[in-house]
Amino acid sequence: MDHLSYKTLTVNKKTANKGWVIIDAGQGSLGRVASEVAKILRGKHKPSFTPNADCGDNVIIINADDTRFTGRKWDQKYYLTHTGYPGGQKKTSPRELKAKSSTLLVERAVRGMLPKGPLGRELFRNLHVFAGTEHPFAAQQPKELTLNI
């Protein structure tokens, strides 16, 4: 006889109800958009959120060219990388990174807000960033999402 009146349900990769969401990157500043995207990728907006599983939605970000920073971050902010060799530290400003590819700015901001480790790498594969409004995922019928930021 089952004496519990409730069962705690946990979501795994097979039982996750994953959808597709499309977000315009020009809706707010880069950090605010990236934090909302990270929540959606993680699945924290769903009542069936499970911390150790990929239960979030697939996210398409369009208009990565329209990303904004507040203040003077275009000139004062910088990203550090290291080659692994002595004296191999490199600085890159957001202006230089956007000149290379505007999608790198958004990807880098979202990746930093995801968990570190195998789960974070798996969640990052659900992110698709495009510089303009064109994207090849029309067959998935993504829902347009406006952020309240």
Side-chain angles (χ1 to χ4, degrees):
M1 183 168 137
D2 189 17
H3 57 59
L4 293 176
S5 62
Y6 61 91
K7 293 277 185 183
T8 303
L9 299 176
T10 57
V11 177
N12 58 21
K13 197 171 189 176
K14 292 180 182 177
T15 61
N17 187 14
K18 296 175 72 72
W20 285 79
V21 175
I22 189 165
I23 294 176
D24 186 5
Q27 290 182 8
S29 65
L30 178 62
R32 291 177 188 269
V33 170
S35 65
E36 292 297 318
V37 168
K39 286 179 198 172
I40 294 168
L41 283 171
R42 189 86 200 274
K44 288 192 165 191
H45 64 290
K46 295 183 176 182
S48 62
F49 170 67
T50 305
N52 60 346
D54 178 9
C55 56
D57 292 337
N58 293 290
V59 178
I60 303 165
I61 298 180
I62 58 172
N63 294 328
D65 286 337
D66 298 340
T67 55
R68 296 191 314 247
F69 280 110
T70 56
R72 294 173 45 198
K73 290 188 184 99
W74 284 111
D75 303 315
Q76 291 179 342
K77 183 179 175 68
Y78 56 88
Y79 300 104
L80 288 177
T81 56
H82 201 283
T83 63
Y85 289 98
Q89 189 175 29
K90 295 181 180 181
K91 268 188 186 181
T92 309
S93 71
R95 201 175 298 281
E96 295 168 358
L97 201 59
K98 187 174 181 177
K100 199 182 288 187
S101 174
S102 61
T103 61
L104 289 175
L105 274 175
V106 178
E107 287 175 357
R108 189 170 184 135
V110 174
R111 176 175 269 169
M113 296 182 188
L114 290 175
K116 294 1 174 216
L119 179 62
R121 290 189 291 273
E122 186 179 345
L123 293 172
F124 187 70
R125 287 189 207 111
N126 297 330
L127 177 69
H128 310 280
V129 183
F130 299 99
T133 57
E134 307 270 329
H135 63 87
F137 296 104
Q140 279 72 26
Q141 300 171 349
K143 296 178 198 155
E144 183 115 11
L145 188 67
T146 55
L147 304 175
N148 297 326
I149 49 177

